[in-house]
Amino acid sequence: MARVFNFSAGPAALPLEVLEEAQAGLTDWQGSGMSVMEISHRSKAFIAVAEQAEADLRELMNIPDEYAVLFLQGGATQQFALIPMNLSDEGQTVDQLVTGSWSKKALKEGKNLRNVNIVADGGDSNYADVPARDQWKLTSDAAYFHYCANETIGGVEFHEPPDVGNVPLVADMSSTLLSRPIDVNKFGLIYAGAQKNIGPAGLTIVIVRKDMIKRGRPASDILNYAAHAEGGSMMNTPPAFAWYMAGLVFAWIKRQGGLEAMGEFNKSKANKLYAAIDGSAFYANPVALDYRSWMNIPFALAKPELDGEFLAQAEQAGLVNLKGHRSVGGMRASIYNAVRMEAIDALIAFMQEFEANNA
Ligand code: PMP
């Protein structure tokens, strides 16, 4: 069966080369007569895989030694809770910016644990824009400032980290990490569920400045970043296969020319699709120009009664997973690193044909 053009928001398309590499070694990995899934995470062979993956990620992102890189489980959702537990004390104020569904979920968990100051909330624009920086109400001694760098559902992305003075920046980068270069030095903590640009679901990456974490806060080691860092993310059995797959993806990104090249590629893909949407009276993207995501592009049809027909015909044309999130409807094209220009061209051609037949 031929591969389709997959626009899934996550778990999302992976590079075919990576899938084929994993397939080639699936039953007899490196001549061991076993798969990488069937060996101890403490074996020499797996430790080499794990260390190489971390080294490649550090190289790709230029991560300074002052930062720990953790390979955890629990998804980005678990980090919504672990961040307040690890980076602040009870009673301390934390700042949170609300720009859509995911930062709202992080807010709910933050409020369960800490005194949260909502810096600003994009609700007035229906989360199609970010409130102007001069309207933000920052706390000068907040433990940290949390924001979602790319709202996967609404398609609202920060193209530069916000300036919040000396308060450490904490970013949910689940759907933007590895899509372009970022200056890690500007952040206290960056986290991402793997299932978009990194690899299969089950792995969560946390990059955290070591001086911000300590043993004892929180008391449970399994919830404690410092304990995970000391244990090399192997306090217990890590998501070994997902870690291995992430390593293959990191090596693939290096072969593509690293994050500079990835950024140029992603920008040109997104610009092409936005130009097609903006150039048509039949399709519309609601997001403010400065915050349009390179990764997730929602769009609505002028005749929403044709949504079902659009999706059915798209699928027949080999373009799948274009349905918008159930909370917002319409369409969404997620165009992460592994989505090639050929997929963008096929989508645009299909959209134009559908418009010609239905406008
Ligand atoms: N944050 C963002 C920006 C996301 O896109 C997602 C998942 N789509 C999450 C958090 C939640 O991730 P997980 O399902 O890995 O907990």
Side-chain angles (χ1 to χ4, degrees):
M1 189 195 151
R3 298 267 297 167
V4 293
F5 294 120
N6 179 5
F7 298 95
S8 173
L14 287 166
L16 180 59
E17 261 181 66
V18 165
L19 293 173
E20 286 174 343
E21 226 177 314
Q23 182 183 40
L26 197 64
T27 55
D28 181 12
W29 179 64
Q30 294 185 345
S32 65
M34 299 175 282
S35 86
V36 72
M37 276 182 278
E38 299 170 293
I39 61 171
S40 167
H41 57 292
R42 304 204 187 276
S43 63
K44 240 192 199 162
F46 187 78
I47 298 282
V49 166
E51 288 180 351
Q52 188 63 50
E54 179 174 337
D56 284 344
L57 181 62
R58 283 185 178 275
E59 184 185 328
L60 277 171
M61 291 183 64
N62 239 322
I63 302 174
D65 290 343
E66 295 75 50
Y67 289 75
V69 177
L70 309 178
F71 290 76
L72 305 178
Q73 308 192 43
T77 303
Q78 180 157 296
Q79 305 315 313
F80 296 163
L82 295 195
I83 288 162
M85 287 179 191
N86 280 272
L87 301 191
S88 61
D89 289 310
E90 257 178 73
Q92 243 188 320
T93 296
V94 306
D95 276 359
Q96 296 199 223
L97 180 67
V98 182
T99 54
S101 307
W102 292 110
S103 49
K104 252 193 224 173
K105 292 210 166 160
L107 172 69
K108 183 165 179 276
E109 201 65 80
K111 278 180 168 172
N112 284 338
L113 293 155
R114 295 293 181 261
N115 175 31
V116 177
N117 167 52
I118 300 174
V119 170
D121 185 319
D124 285 350
S125 69
N126 201 20
Y127 301 106
D129 200 356
V130 175
R133 174 66 180 75
D134 60 9
Q135 288 167 22
W136 295 8
K137 293 195 199 79
L138 295 161
T139 309
S140 59
D141 61 347
Y144 58 84
F145 169 100
H146 178 281
Y147 77 109
C148 180
N150 183 65
E151 288 282 359
T152 318
I153 295 174
V156 168
E157 184 164 39
F158 284 80
H159 294 286
E160 290 297 329
D163 177 6
V164 294
N166 291 328
V167 172
L169 268 183
V170 171
D172 177 355
M173 293 209 179
S174 293
S175 48
T176 183
L177 196 79
L178 300 182
S179 67
R180 74 204 76 187
I182 52 154
D183 183 357
V184 175
N185 291 291
K186 293 197 167 142
F187 294 86
L189 184 148
I190 292 165
Y191 65 105
Q195 62 271 21
K196 289 100 165 41
N197 274 332
I198 300 170
L203 168 71
T204 310
I205 303 274
V206 174
I207 301 163
V208 60
R209 234 174 57 204
K210 289 176 191 163
D211 64 349
M212 291 180 56
I213 55 178
K214 55 184 179 203
R215 289 300 283 262
R217 184 174 83 183
S220 296
D221 278 352
I222 195 66
L223 304 178
N224 185 282
Y225 290 142
H228 281 294
E230 270 175 42
S233 302
M234 295 218 190
M235 192 194 314
N236 64 331
T237 316
F241 189 71
W243 193 333
Y244 158 77
M245 288 291 290
L248 298 184
V249 171
F250 300 154
W252 175 82
I253 296 175
K254 280 172 67 175
R255 294 197 298 276
Q256 309 309 301
L259 295 184
E260 288 284 349
M262 224 64 248
E264 288 305 313
F265 174 56
N266 286 321
K267 186 179 174 180
S268 59
K269 285 189 308 188
N271 283 345
K272 205 180 213 183
L273 185 49
Y274 283 119
I277 292 170
D278 292 344
S280 138
F282 192 72
Y283 302 105
N285 168 279
V287 179
L289 292 182
D290 287 348
Y291 289 99
R292 281 178 157 188
S293 173
W294 294 356
M295 297 281 98
N296 310 96
I297 303 186
F299 60 95
L301 273 53
K303 296 180 181 167
E305 66 275 17
L306 294 180
D307 281 3
E309 195 53 39
F310 180 94
L311 290 166
Q313 288 184 24
E315 193 160 332
Q316 279 202 328
L319 305 158
V320 307
N321 293 321
L322 284 164
K323 195 174 189 324
H325 191 267
R326 59 187 186 279
S327 62
V328 291
M331 308 300 153
R332 172 179 51 174
S334 294
I335 53 173
Y336 300 116
N337 288 350
V339 176
R340 291 168 304 146
M341 193 59 88
E342 200 188 337
I344 307 296
D345 292 337
L347 174 59
I348 292 172
F350 170 78
M351 288 167 71
Q352 288 171 346
E353 191 189 327
F354 189 86
E355 177 176 355
N357 294 336
N358 295 282

